[in-house]
Amino acid sequence: MLVAPSMLSADFGRLKEEIEELNRTDCDYLHIDVMDGHFVPNITFGKDIIKTIAKYSKKKLDIHLMVQNTEFFINMFIDLNPEFLSIHIEEEKHINKMLHLIRDNHIHPGIVLNPHTSQSTLEYILKYVDLVLLMSVNPGFGGQNFITSTLEKAIKLKEMIKEQNLQCLIEMDGGINDKNISMIKDCGVDMVVSGNYIFSSKDYQIAINSLR
Ligand code: DX5
Ligand code: ZN
């Protein structure tokens, strides 16, 4: 299981120390939630802060855009060279074009589905993505409860990926902890985001181990 701690739950007053502590763990990526106050009712990190995170981090970034005007934000983050740059299917009218924009800049493109959005919306786009991020909470805030219907969606998505003979990863984001991780793993999820669970634990590596 790949693990990406969500920086939304970090102590922003000690951001550098938090990143250094994560550098000492074997986590795979740092998950960065970009919110614009329009697509979701919250505002998080702008480019300068994310640049600072990238400067201190030894891990590559997994950027999750929760924004209107997707193209503007894709262009904003290209030069930070994240591992993944993921966009919500609910917001963007020209998904295919945006995925190509991301891939043409040598970044792995991802698509995000809100809890109410069916995996069937991906039928004609799945082959263009390297990652599907399934939201297991309503996007906007850390520390919410896991929505269990996302498990069934992961199983159906895994079947679609197999049917189309693709390699794309399934990532799950929201309300993930040591209690629900084994169910999530059993549904074929490859990577989990975890904010509140990791950052509220005394030892980040022990929390990460429990998710693996
Ligand atoms: C919510 C974000 C998540 C959030 C997860 O909109 O996409 O990445 O930080 O946090 P937890 O693990 O606390 O639910
Ligand atoms: Zn996220």
Side-chain angles (χ1 to χ4, degrees), residues 61-86:
L61 304 183
D62 168 35
I63 298 184
H64 172 193
L65 295 182
M66 282 159 275
V67 296
Q68 289 181 350
N69 198 349
T70 313
E71 186 168 9
F72 172 81
F73 283 93
I74 291 171
N75 284 315
M76 182 181 283
F77 294 118
I78 277 171
D79 64 344
L80 295 183
N81 192 31
E83 183 76 6
F84 300 101
L85 190 47
S86 300

Side-chain angles (χ1 to χ4, degrees), residues 8 12 33-37 42-46 49 66 140:
L8 192 55
F12 296 154
D33 290 303
V34 178
M35 305 182 189
D36 66 349
N42 195 5
I43 296 177
T44 54
F45 314 106
I49 294 184
M66 282 159 275

Side-chain angles (χ1 to χ4, degrees), residues 32-203:
I32 308 290
D33 290 303
V34 178
M35 305 182 189
D36 66 349
H38 296 282
F39 181 69
V40 286
N42 195 5
I43 296 177
T44 54
F45 314 106
K47 184 166 183 182
D48 289 342
I49 294 184
I50 300 178
K51 230 173 155 174
T52 305
I53 294 173
K55 180 174 143 194
Y56 292 119
S57 176
K58 290 183 180 156
K59 316 284 178 177
K60 287 196 80 179
L61 304 183
D62 168 35
I63 298 184
H64 172 193
L65 295 182
M66 282 159 275
V67 296
Q68 289 181 350
N69 198 349
T70 313
E71 186 168 9
F72 172 81
F73 283 93
I74 291 171
N75 284 315
M76 182 181 283
F77 294 118
I78 277 171
D79 64 344
L80 295 183
N81 192 31
E83 183 76 6
F84 300 101
L85 190 47
S86 300
I87 59 177
H88 271 262
I89 199 164
E90 298 85 6
E91 184 54 34
E92 177 55 47
K93 289 192 188 74
H94 304 289
I95 284 278
N96 188 295
K97 189 176 155 196
M98 293 305 118
L99 295 172
H100 281 101
L101 171 62
I102 297 169
R103 194 181 293 287
D104 289 348
N105 284 283
H106 315 290
I107 298 165
H108 295 294
I111 285 195
V112 195
L113 303 188
N114 271 336
H116 69 274
T117 305
S118 170
Q119 76 292 335
S120 62
T121 57
L122 298 174
E123 186 174 1
Y124 298 106
I125 202 75
L126 200 53
K127 60 170 169 287
Y128 301 107
V129 301
D130 292 342
L131 175 84
V132 177
L133 171 47
L134 299 178
M135 288 308 300
S136 41
V137 295
N138 288 299
F141 302 93
Q144 303 182 76
N145 290 333
F146 185 79
I147 297 173
T148 50
S149 57
T150 321
L151 294 171
E152 187 186 327
K153 203 195 290 189
I155 294 171
K156 289 180 178 167
L157 174 60
K158 197 78 179 181
E159 279 166 16
M160 270 177 82
I161 292 170
K162 276 189 197 149
E163 273 165 20
Q164 295 194 26
N165 205 13
L166 301 170
Q167 302 295 325
C168 127
L169 297 174
I170 302 179
E171 180 177 29
M172 203 170 269
D173 181 7
I176 296 172
N177 54 43
D178 58 340
K179 307 280 183 300
N180 52 26
I181 189 68
S182 66
M183 288 188 300
I184 293 168
K185 173 78 185 167
D186 289 348
C187 295
V189 171
D190 307 288
M191 164 154 45
V192 287
V193 175
S194 179
N196 195 51
Y197 173 65
I198 291 177
F199 283 96
S200 65
S201 64
K202 281 204 185 83
D203 185 322

Side-chain angles (χ1 to χ4, degrees), residues 7-33:
M7 294 308 291
L8 192 55
S9 294
D11 177 350
F12 296 154
R14 299 173 47 254
L15 194 53
K16 188 177 171 206
E17 289 97 314
E18 292 277 57
I19 297 164
E20 285 168 347
E21 193 163 344
L22 290 169
N23 284 340
R24 289 191 288 273
T25 73
D26 67 0
C27 75
D28 298 281
Y29 306 103
L30 299 190
H31 183 81
I32 308 290
D33 290 303

